[in-house]
Amino acid sequence: MSDAPKNGRGNGGPRVGVYVCHCGSNIAGMVDVAEVARWAGEGLPGVVVARDYKFMCSSLGQEMIEEDIRQQKLDRVVVAACSPHLHEKTFRRACANAGLNPFLFQMANIREHVSWCSEEKGPATDKARATLAGAVRRVAHQRALEPMAVKVNPATLVVGGGIAGIQAALELADAGLPVTLVEREPSIGGHMAQFDKTFPTLDCAACILTPRMSEVGQHENVTLLSYAEVEEVKGSIGDFTVTIRRKARYVKEDACTGCGVCIEKCPQSVVDDVYEAGLGYRKAIYRPFPQAVPKYPVIDTACCTYFKSGKCKACQIFCTPGAVDFEQRDETVELHVGNIILATGYELFDCTRIPQYGYGRLANVFTSLEFERLCNAAGPTTGKIVLRDGVTEPKRVAVVHCVGSRDTRHHEYCSAVCCMSALKFGHLILEKTKAEVWSFYIDMRPLHKGYEEFYHRLLKEGMHFVRGRVAEVTDAARLPGEEGKLIVQYEDTLLGRQRRLPVDMVLLMGALEPRADAKANALKFGLSCSMDGWLTERHPKLDPVATMTDGVFIAGACQGPKDIPDSVAQGAAAAARVHGMISRGQVLIEPVVAQIDEEHCSGCRVCNTMCPFNAIEYVAAETVSRINPAMCKGCGTCVAACPAGVITGNHFDNTQVFSEIEGVLWDAAV
Amino acid sequence: MTDHAHDHHDHPFEPKIVGFLCNWCSYRAADLAGTARIKYKPNIRVIRLMCSGRVDPAFVLKALARGADGVMVAGCHPGECHYLVQNYKTIRRFQLLKHTLAALGVEDARVRLQWASAAEGQLLADAINDMVEKVRALGPLEWPHKWREGNGLDRLEAEVTAEDARLGPPHREAVPEEVRP
Amino acid sequence: MHQTAPRGTFLAEVMEQTPGGEALQTCLQCGTCGGSCPSGPDMDHTPRSVFALVAAGEREAVLKSNTPWYCVSCYYCMVRCPQEIPVTDVMYTLRRMSASAGAHENGDVADFSRTFIDLVERYGRSFELELAARYHLTHSPLKKMSQGPLAIGMVLKDRLSFRPKRIRDLAGFKAVLAKAKAIEKRLVARSRGEGH
Amino acid sequence: MAYGYYPGCSLEHSAAAYDDSTRAVARAMGVDLVELDDWNCCGATEYIALSRTGAYALIGRNLALAEAQLAGKNGGGKAVLAAPCSACFLNLSKAEHYVESHPDLADQMNEALAAGGLHHTPGTVEVRHLVEVLVTDVGLEAIRARVKRPLHALRVAPYYGCLLTRPQIPGHTMDEAEYPSFLDDLLRALGAEVVDFPLKTHCCGGHMTQISADTSNALLHRLLKSAAEYRADLVATVCPMCQLNLDAYQSQVNRAYGTDFDLPILYFTQLMGLAFGLDAAALGLGKEIVSAERALAKVGVERPAPPPAPARPAGRRKGDKSLPMPRRKAHHGRARTS
């Protein structure tokens, strides 16, 4: 460790300490760190200490800084090391320990942005100099800021009543915290409620899900708003105001006993595209499934005879408690919560988008979701695996993997759950019928605990596996034995030969994809989506359930394809994060916000229109605009827009940015 | 100070590019490029802002006036802004700035708006390399000399911010078309 | 996409001689092409295994293969490939390589192509009767027999003409093709890393 | 507007009937087809197999001619070149797309063209298939309106072949690569009874008829077998190569497979002409090897058009155990283009 000579400057002015990290050889291997430290010590304004050290983030490195702050009376600190996204917090804490306001610290990123992306030492060292110079010039103008403390409302909103949302809601409710669970459909349960068995243990989905559902329904701490949707979200962490629209059920919940007579008596039956995945029928007044929570039915006005022709009213006539109410209207509820957990799930890829698989044209091509209903004892065929004619049992079934997944024309990503569902389907078919099952895969990916073993089990049970993506499914018979069958044409890539297999039934393992309204929904909650449309987590590895918006968390398949165990884990994780916030009672909000100098504000209201968070309100009485620091997210767009230049962006004000510009251009010919 | 980067004459011209990167997407893209050891030209010097919407046209002019040969403004893809829609304001503001710069005879390639998601380290690296070569081809800007005397810069800043103000109040984009499914 | 395959490798050569060929290095070996191919059963290697051979640098095996020559240009593979590899165009590239190397043993298709091209280069347009006659006589008289009745049928139906149609600007046309051939030589040499 | 017309070699001889019927139908619909002067062969699928630059030069010459001859023929819009042969259509349009997206290709092409005193600026010519021009520009309504003798009672198998809908080159308006329907719609507009032909976009064998009878017989047999199973009276084609293979080699297939297919193969333009009440001779009818006489005897026999396919049942019918079919969703475009 070399200790650079002091340049004596800094008397009166700021006293800056500069610390250049080797990060082992990660930085030192490409940047002459000692030279950079020496140069900073001699060349840069206000620098009174400049050191280089192996690992600044180590406790020794941090202690060195704290030591200097005390001994050398430093009032500014700059660390040239890795990305601020990694260690800014670390060093801010170190400064705070030594009594220096953390906002008087600045970081220069000479690892990710210099040593790791450079090829020559000379230019790399120059770039490090410039980056450091920028930080040093800037830090001189930084001002002490105090984080703002906000009380956290202990109530939480969970959006989405699938297994992830249910888990999150129950974790919090069991901890004695008030939760409101909002579900779009008439009942909670999500996709899991449609499934028959669950891999790899094959326990029946309903058996493990319905107890959790009724727990939600009965829990003293859970307010369940089913058949409802979030309309608007205002506010910020600790104190959100949410507007929820409760769609009219046309059934008074307080009066309804859930006896179901209305459903029996309803003369109008229609195809159920949601719960039965288009494979079964329901009435115009319906409950998605017998164990639905809540138990109250809803009237589908689109197909109800009364709503179409004004006649019928059968349901109302036969309802002894008189719960049916055709006059009911949508109502909006306003809710105050401290945190929000999104668990809005996924939807299945539209398999008609791959016409060569014949879905929608060839009757006996089914989607994975349709098949879940087909082998579900509560499904349209009471669990009998039969062809579209409803009676014939298949003799041979082909399972096609990666339909819409791992396909750059549709979704480049792997949907993660299909391999295991395919194995599960294979098992169910072999168990319930005498049919052969053929799986066509590109790569078999049974990735978690007990999954590979399940694959082996299916190998033993005699399921056939072919490595090759199916090219097409056709009803055009060519060879003997193909007449009247569906023919699957493929290359067996392990044989290197093109083959055809006549089958009776084809299952398409459709991709899991983001809900059609995912992006619009993300905007509503102030979140962003990846290119694919999955909600973006704060950090892919280290912060998977938090988001860039404090107080809003995500869980389950809305963040990416996930199976049940993973979704449950995330639901619990999100709940734990929220619980943490609540038990702390208050959160500190980074004071990096904008401020208006009302003295000189002309009240032109340009800034108001700039803010998507409604953080800027116009005070007509005083003809000035005012910023609510709790709602300001600190983007600084209004700062740049203010024609009078009277808005200051804390920690990113003009002076600071200007001097950083001067710094990084220290060596430019001026 | 004795430094080689100083004197252009006995060294081939190495363009200086100032990059204003938003904290959420493009800065992380640059982090990713580093983590993935993707190599790119060392000519860019990065300044982190919370959002590309913070980029005041004056920043760009300042950089050019202080001797930068080019400026890159980078942000999240439209529709993926961490602040929902602020990069749409960046687009509008940037078009205006381009307009002014053209009037001042600054070549188009010297100032560039680049989208890069946190996952697009390679894309950002390519963009930087591409820009460096384009600017290298254009040669030094040497604006400082042009603005040495007189208060040209201040006049400019005033002009730009004024025009920027004249833009507003723009209609609020609740959900911009680009985002609608 | 960034071409990363090192210059001089067979893979790089194939990629460079095919528009959009860079995609070739992303092949998942899923077999969609091999499964879709109408003449797949008659090929000695499926397109997928040809790509594996290309990646493995098995130049001889690839250029000897009848696969590129049995491609009927139906483009099913191309619109189905999950990596959007321009399979059909790669097959054309391999035909050119195979032809210039004279590697393909069962040369039916190569000869047919050459006969066809000779005619086009001579007249500017193709001329079915002479094509059929010349190809089948010079090439495989046996087939000609089976084609006999067909030809007669065609003549009776006035669908074969005895006079070729020529284009007017044959001189300019030939000059263009001559130049094109020169350029082609240059390009092939470059993609082989020669002259570097 | 005037369309450049690129008949292609086949239409000069073996597919003269296609040329005749095309011109006749165009006249009837008031479509102005201007034959490209001194056009040359597009190289079919052969030339590219010998020299890429050669192939692009060959095609480039036609594009250059079109660019020069059609300038301003389409108001301010691009010059439009219509090709009735799917192979020509694909060669021309694909080359135009590739030289537009690969500047190096464009340079090589123009370097060669220069030797003949020609030049082509990529992006100046829009190449379209005849059937697409008729369906999109002229429109089914206009066609339906022109029908004098509806083809009721004729069961037609619509055969698209490969090169018309594949590969999906950006800018092609062809609805879909695997299971298109625009030709079905066109034939329906003529009053014909269109069969849902599962192999509508499968391969006719292309040049394999010249090279490996076994291969081509197999491919042709599939098509004929399937069309016959669907009780088609005839097959409508949009490509001279498909027509030639299915028509001229049908007897060879019958010999090889011991079958007795007797399926006339007509160009869709001939059917249009018939429906328009044009004179059969002027449409080149009778030039087909497998005579269409018997099938065409049916034409003109009035009989109600087939009832529309039943819509998805709103509710379940008594005692019906069958499961509902999936609702066909409106077709999405490709998820993303690279």
Side-chain angles (χ1 to χ4, degrees):
Chain A
M1 168 181 122
S2 82
D3 188 339
K6 301 175 185 44
N7 61 10
R9 267 173 290 137
N11 312 331
R15 299 178 53 81
V16 185
V18 170
Y19 303 85
V20 185
C21 181
H22 296 214
C23 193
S25 62
N26 281 309
I27 298 173
M30 181 57 68
V31 173
D32 183 343
V33 282
E35 162 57 17
V36 171
R38 184 200 57 77
W39 168 85
E42 290 174 357
L44 295 180
V47 177
V48 292
V49 192
R51 309 177 192 274
D52 60 295
Y53 183 63
K54 274 246 164 289
F55 291 103
M56 284 311 301
C57 59
S58 68
S59 50
L60 284 173
Q62 298 184 47
E63 282 158 19
M64 176 163 60
I65 297 175
E66 297 175 24
E67 189 68 10
D68 285 348
I69 294 175
R70 297 196 187 89
Q71 303 303 323
Q72 313 275 352
K73 305 269 168 296
L74 299 182
D75 56 11
R76 297 285 191 285
V77 170
V78 173
V79 173
C82 51
S83 167
H85 286 294
L86 264 82
H87 276 306
E88 192 172 47
K89 281 200 171 64
T90 315
F91 296 116
R92 278 183 174 178
R93 214 180 298 112
C95 294
N97 294 343
L100 183 69
N101 181 291
F103 289 88
L104 298 175
F105 162 80
Q106 181 64 20
M107 211 161 170
N109 183 347
I110 61 167
R111 191 178 74 173
E112 284 80 353
H113 290 194
V114 179
S115 65
W116 277 352
C117 57
S118 303
E119 286 173 299
E120 297 173 73
K121 288 192 171 196
T125 307
D126 287 340
K127 190 178 179 186
R129 278 200 189 86
T131 315
L132 178 56
V136 170
R137 295 280 182 98
R138 179 193 211 285
V139 82
H141 299 275
Q142 283 172 211
R143 282 181 284 107
L145 297 170
E146 290 308 328
M148 199 180 24
V150 177
K151 275 189 87 320
V152 178
N153 181 331
T156 304
L157 169 69
V158 176
V159 185
I163 186 59
I166 290 175
Q167 183 70 25
L170 288 176
E171 295 275 354
L172 290 164
D174 290 344
L177 297 162
V179 181
T180 305
L181 177 60
V182 173
E183 166 59 48
R184 174 185 289 186
E185 296 299 325
S187 167
I188 59 172
H191 280 108
M192 187 175 173
Q194 296 173 273
F195 298 168
D196 178 37
K197 299 280 194 291
T198 57
F199 59 74
T201 49
L202 295 173
D203 28 13
C204 128
C207 313
I208 55 177
L209 175 65
T210 46
R212 312 288 281 152
M213 288 168 62
S214 44
E215 237 184 294
V216 169
Q218 288 151 17
H219 208 296
E220 54 186 5
N221 295 333
V222 181
T223 313
L224 175 56
L225 301 179
S226 66
Y227 210 47
E229 294 191 46
V230 173
E231 296 246 293
E232 194 187 15
V233 180
K234 285 212 198 107
S236 57
I237 178 166
D239 176 27
F240 290 101
T241 306
V242 188
T243 318
I244 296 163
R245 186 169 58 88
R246 304 193 64 181
K247 293 173 274 185
R249 273 194 133 88
Y250 304 101
V251 171
K252 298 199 220 93
E253 301 193 0
D254 43 13
C256 176
T257 62
C259 67
V261 170
C262 52
I263 301 174
E264 276 168 41
K265 300 296 181 185
C266 175
Q268 183 57 279
S269 92
V270 293
V271 172
D272 179 353
D273 280 314
V274 181
Y275 181 70
E276 293 291 6
L279 208 58
Y281 298 81
R282 61 159 169 81
K283 296 296 188 69
I285 181 167
Y286 71 104
R287 187 192 290 146
F289 49 102
Q291 316 93 316
V293 172
K295 55 182 188 285
Y296 321 113
V298 301
I299 294 179
D300 174 357
T301 55
C303 51
C304 166
T305 323
Y306 171 77
F307 277 92
K308 284 196 297 196
S309 64
K311 299 192 185 55
C312 186
K313 288 195 175 188
C315 49
Q316 194 175 46
I317 296 158
F318 287 96
C319 180
T320 25
V324 176
D325 170 13
F326 295 116
E327 302 316 310
Q328 217 178 53
R329 294 280 165 271
D330 294 8
E331 44 184 83
T332 57
V333 191
E334 196 172 82
L335 209 67
H336 295 277
V337 297
N339 292 280
I340 299 173
I341 297 174
L342 286 182
T344 47
Y346 70 94
E347 61 192 33
L348 192 75
F349 176 76
D350 166 13
C351 293
T352 61
R353 288 170 65 185
I354 302 188
Q356 61 266 40
Y357 289 164
Y359 181 68
R361 183 167 54 85
L362 306 173
N364 292 318
V365 179
F366 292 82
T367 67
S368 43
L369 209 47
E370 282 179 319
F371 188 74
E372 290 284 359
R373 297 311 301 153
L374 203 53
C375 51
N376 189 314
T381 61
T382 63
K384 278 200 265 359
I385 297 175
V386 289
L387 301 183
R388 192 90 48 180
D389 65 9
V391 287
T392 320
E393 193 175 87
K395 293 187 188 58
R396 191 186 279 150
V397 182
V399 185
V400 182
H401 293 235
C402 303
V403 179
S405 314
R406 302 189 68 193
D407 181 345
T408 51
R409 294 168 195 279
H410 301 288
H411 299 303
E412 189 174 2
Y413 56 79
C414 164
S415 286
V417 304
C418 328
C419 282
M420 283 304 286
S421 321
L423 292 171
K424 178 183 74 179
F425 291 164
H427 171 84
L428 293 172
I429 296 166
L430 293 168
E431 182 184 63
K432 295 186 170 192
T433 72
K434 294 182 188 56
E436 279 177 31
V437 189
W438 292 67
S439 142
F440 296 87
Y441 66 93
I442 305 177
D443 297 291
M444 188 55 73
R445 295 178 168 173
L447 289 184
H448 294 317
K449 185 179 171 189
Y451 288 12
E452 181 70 15
E453 295 87 327
F454 190 64
Y455 176 26
H456 295 174
R457 174 175 175 181
L458 266 297
L459 285 164
K460 293 202 196 85
E461 290 179 1
M463 184 170 175
H464 302 268
F465 293 92
V466 175
R467 192 198 173 279
R469 183 170 174 267
V470 168
E472 63 186 69
V473 177
T474 175
D475 57 347
R478 183 192 305 167
L479 311 169
E482 293 183 350
E483 279 74 13
K485 300 277 186 183
L486 291 176
I487 302 99
V488 176
Q489 189 172 311
Y490 60 97
E491 174 186 356
D492 184 323
T493 62
L494 301 180
L495 296 182
R497 228 184 291 129
Q498 184 185 102
R499 311 190 73 185
R500 285 163 70 87
L501 181 74
V503 301
D504 307 292
M505 176 187 249
V506 173
L507 306 185
L508 302 181
M509 305 306 296
L512 273 54
E513 66 183 13
R515 291 203 176 270
D517 62 355
K519 284 201 174 198
N521 204 40
L523 272 175
K524 205 181 289 174
F525 291 89
L527 304 188
S528 55
C529 292
S530 67
M531 295 296 204
D532 310 310
W534 302 111
L535 294 174
T536 320
E537 65 278 24
R538 183 178 277 272
H539 190 286
K541 300 170 205 82
L542 302 180
D543 211 349
V545 294
T547 68
M548 295 293 189
T549 302
D550 297 325
V552 180
F553 299 84
I554 53 179
C558 59
Q559 178 262 358
K562 244 172 239 65
D563 60 10
I564 294 167
D566 286 0
S567 303
V568 170
Q570 281 206 332
R577 293 294 305 277
V578 169
H579 197 171
M581 297 271 186
I582 296 169
S583 43
R584 212 181 305 135
Q586 63 169 30
V587 283
L588 297 179
I589 297 183
E590 275 235 336
V592 180
V593 294
Q595 277 173 330
I596 296 181
D597 168 7
E598 296 184 8
E599 278 294 304
H600 302 90
C601 172
S602 65
C604 73
R605 308 174 67 173
V606 168
C607 54
N608 302 54
T609 60
M610 286 284 153
C611 184
F613 306 103
N614 311 319
I616 312 180
E617 60 165 338
Y618 178 64
V619 189
E622 305 160 45
T623 65
V624 294
S625 292
R626 189 168 294 149
I627 294 174
N628 171 351
M631 287 166 79
C632 173
K633 305 238 189 286
C635 68
T637 307
C638 59
V639 182
C642 177
V646 297
I647 308 184
T648 315
N650 288 348
H651 209 56
F652 288 90
D653 67 28
N654 289 358
T655 341
Q656 289 158 5
V657 178
F658 280 145
S659 29
E660 188 168 358
I661 295 173
E662 288 166 10
V664 297
L665 292 169
W666 70 277
D667 58 344
V670 184
Chain B
M1 270 169 274
T2 61
D3 194 271
H4 33 78
H6 242 320
D7 20 293
H8 290 299
H9 35 81
D10 53 16
H11 281 277
F13 166 58
E14 279 300 334
K16 291 188 173 53
I17 313 273
V18 172
F20 295 101
L21 273 53
C22 80
N23 181 56
W24 304 104
C25 295
S26 43
Y27 192 92
R28 284 165 191 267
D31 279 359
L32 176 63
T35 322
R37 307 298 197 279
I38 297 167
K39 309 294 180 206
Y40 55 89
K41 301 259 177 346
N43 305 56
I44 187 161
R45 282 116 197 241
V46 171
I47 292 177
R48 177 168 69 130
L49 298 170
M50 293 311 279
C51 176
S52 58
R54 174 66 180 98
V55 176
D56 186 326
F59 294 174
V60 178
L61 296 167
K62 176 78 168 188
L64 296 176
R66 291 296 293 198
D69 303 293
V71 173
M72 174 182 280
V73 177
C76 315
H77 286 271
E80 299 190 353
C81 179
H82 172 63
Y83 302 102
L84 311 189
V85 293
Q86 300 306 61
N87 49 8
Y88 290 98
K89 282 126 190 167
T90 314
I91 297 175
R92 281 217 307 277
R93 198 175 287 148
F94 191 80
Q95 287 159 346
L96 190 81
L97 173 66
K98 278 287 215 183
H99 191 72
T100 321
L101 287 170
L104 294 162
V106 176
E107 300 88 338
D108 188 67
R110 288 193 190 273
V111 180
R112 169 169 179 156
L113 180 58
Q114 179 67 44
W115 306 132
S117 81
E120 294 176 321
Q122 183 67 57
L123 182 132
L124 186 65
D126 294 345
I128 292 169
N129 285 334
D130 177 64
M131 180 170 182
V132 170
E133 285 325 309
K134 289 201 169 95
V135 174
R136 191 193 302 282
L138 290 171
L141 175 63
E142 275 161 354
W143 239 26
H145 308 300
K146 300 191 185 110
W147 296 94
R148 180 133 308 141
E149 65 287 323
N151 57 356
L153 184 53
D154 317 347
R155 213 181 52 243
L156 259 174
E157 290 187 26
E159 198 177 297
V160 176
T161 28
E163 276 187 74
D164 191 18
R166 224 167 295 126
L167 254 188
H171 58 289
R172 186 186 298 272
E173 305 107 329
V175 182
E177 295 71 4
E178 293 81 346
V179 189
R180 294 212 189 93
Chain C
M1 211 180 301
H2 312 267
Q3 177 167 333
T4 55
R7 267 195 161 284
T9 62
F10 188 37
L11 175 59
E13 208 178 308
V14 175
M15 292 195 316
E16 184 163 343
Q17 290 187 34
T18 316
E22 318 82 63
L24 192 52
Q25 66 196 339
T26 68
C27 176
L28 293 176
Q29 289 287 307
C30 69
T32 306
C33 45
S36 304
C37 188
S39 38
D42 300 319
M43 294 174 164
D44 48 21
H45 302 291
T46 61
R48 174 202 57 81
S49 32
V50 166
F51 296 156
L53 288 166
V54 169
E58 297 267 349
R59 178 188 291 271
E60 197 182 339
V62 172
L63 297 190
K64 270 195 158 57
S65 163
N66 71 3
T67 303
W69 298 102
Y70 271 62
C71 167
V72 291
S73 308
C74 75
Y75 289 91
Y76 262 122
C77 47
M78 201 149 148
V79 296
R80 289 176 180 175
C81 174
Q83 296 290 72
E84 298 178 68
I85 298 168
V87 181
T88 313
D89 293 327
V90 173
M91 289 302 158
Y92 289 143
T93 300
L94 294 178
R95 280 194 205 177
R96 290 195 296 274
M97 291 183 161
S98 167
S100 64
H104 182 43
E105 280 147 358
N106 158 17
D108 299 25
V109 200
D111 296 353
F112 177 74
S113 302
R114 226 173 266 104
T115 320
F116 182 93
I117 290 162
D118 289 346
L119 289 172
V120 171
E121 289 179 343
R122 167 127 37 111
Y123 304 118
R125 300 200 182 158
S126 79
F127 174 33
E128 288 124 338
L129 183 65
E130 189 174 344
L131 171 61
R134 253 178 61 183
Y135 167 68
H136 292 297
L137 287 172
T138 61
H139 185 262
S140 48
L142 279 178
K143 283 220 192 63
K144 202 222 157 219
M145 308 306 289
S146 66
Q147 302 272 347
L150 161 62
I152 294 160
M154 297 286 282
V155 174
L156 291 177
K157 297 284 187 175
D158 175 30
R159 287 178 67 169
L160 278 183
S161 86
F162 296 88
R163 243 170 298 90
K165 293 223 171 150
R166 287 189 174 72
I167 63 169
R168 277 201 319 282
D169 181 19
L170 261 181
F173 177 77
K174 288 180 173 169
V176 169
L177 291 187
K179 181 69 181 169
K181 289 205 177 109
I183 299 171
E184 182 83 355
K185 273 206 181 55
R186 194 180 73 212
L187 295 176
V188 171
R190 198 191 64 198
S191 74
R192 289 204 166 167
E194 294 159 14
H196 269 264
Chain D
M1 71 177 272
Y3 294 86
Y5 178 53
Y6 180 93
C9 304
S10 314
L11 273 74
E12 289 191 313
H13 305 306
S14 58
Y18 196 6
D19 190 48
D20 299 342
S21 51
T22 296
R23 293 177 190 271
V25 165
R27 221 173 294 115
M29 295 307 315
V31 176
D32 180 10
L33 294 180
V34 185
E35 178 166 348
L36 189 64
D37 179 48
D38 206 35
W39 57 269
N40 57 268
C41 172
C42 73
T45 50
E46 308 310 324
Y47 211 107
I48 188 95
L50 220 65
S51 156
R52 185 175 96 190
T53 321
Y56 280 88
L58 201 68
I59 301 165
R61 182 175 179 275
N62 291 313
L63 295 171
L65 293 176
E67 183 184 343
Q69 294 172 25
L70 299 171
K73 282 270 189 351
N74 180 16
K78 278 186 178 184
V80 177
L81 187 60
C85 166
S86 299
C88 302
F89 158 71
L90 179 65
N91 272 339
L92 292 163
S93 57
K94 191 167 154 225
E96 178 70 351
H97 170 62
Y98 277 15
V99 291
E100 222 180 326
S101 46
H102 298 79
D104 49 337
L105 270 183
D107 299 343
Q108 293 149 18
M109 173 188 70
N110 276 316
E111 191 182 342
L113 287 179
L118 292 167
H119 180 276
H120 171 56
T121 321
T124 50
V125 178
E126 186 185 352
V127 183
R128 293 167 63 185
H129 191 287
L130 177 73
V131 67
E132 192 267 324
V133 168
L134 289 171
V135 171
T136 313
D137 293 11
V138 174
L140 296 180
E141 269 325 302
I143 292 172
R144 204 175 281 110
R146 181 69 178 71
V147 171
K148 287 214 173 57
R149 188 172 20 160
L151 307 181
H152 295 335
L154 252 198
R155 285 179 62 85
V156 183
Y159 182 51
Y160 299 74
C162 305
L163 307 179
L164 173 58
T165 60
R166 288 189 305 275
Q168 291 253 298
I169 289 172
H172 278 192
T173 50
M174 251 56 94
D175 57 355
E176 205 241 86
E178 294 275 355
Y179 217 78
S181 58
F182 55 91
L183 181 57
D184 302 50
D185 302 339
L186 171 60
L187 294 168
R188 251 183 233 103
L190 303 178
E193 194 177 327
V194 179
V195 303
D196 184 13
F197 187 33
L199 300 184
K200 55 167 76 166
T201 61
H202 279 242
C203 177
C204 72
H207 66 193
M208 293 313 279
T209 45
Q210 302 300 314
I211 292 134
S212 158
D214 298 350
T215 307
S216 58
N217 285 344
L219 297 178
L220 291 166
H221 175 256
R222 288 174 204 172
L223 296 171
L224 295 165
K225 178 169 183 289
S226 177
E229 276 168 357
Y230 277 78
R231 305 192 336 278
D233 298 317
L234 55 80
V235 176
T237 65
V238 296
C239 170
M241 170 76 90
C242 301
Q243 199 282 340
L244 182 71
N245 284 351
L246 281 165
D247 183 21
Y249 292 86
Q250 203 170 115
S251 56
Q252 181 181 303
V253 171
N254 282 334
R255 273 200 306 282
Y257 283 80
T259 48
D260 55 358
F261 297 122
D262 181 24
L263 259 175
I265 317 296
L266 295 185
Y267 304 103
F268 77 103
T269 42
Q270 293 178 300
L271 293 174
M272 287 181 79
L274 280 173
F276 293 173
L278 305 179
D279 163 37
L283 299 169
L285 280 159
K287 289 194 173 187
E288 67 278 2
I289 308 273
V290 178
S291 167
E293 216 164 340
R294 198 154 39 75
L296 294 183
K298 287 177 152 191
V299 179
V301 182
E302 275 311 326
R303 99 123 179 248
R312 177 185 180 143
R316 175 199 288 282
R317 296 160 304 284
K318 271 264 166 286
D320 170 16
K321 280 198 157 57
S322 77
L323 305 160
M325 276 293 283
R327 203 169 272 147
R328 283 308 291 272
K329 310 212 175 45
H331 248 295
H332 310 57
R334 286 179 41 175
R336 56 173 277 287
T337 50
S338 51

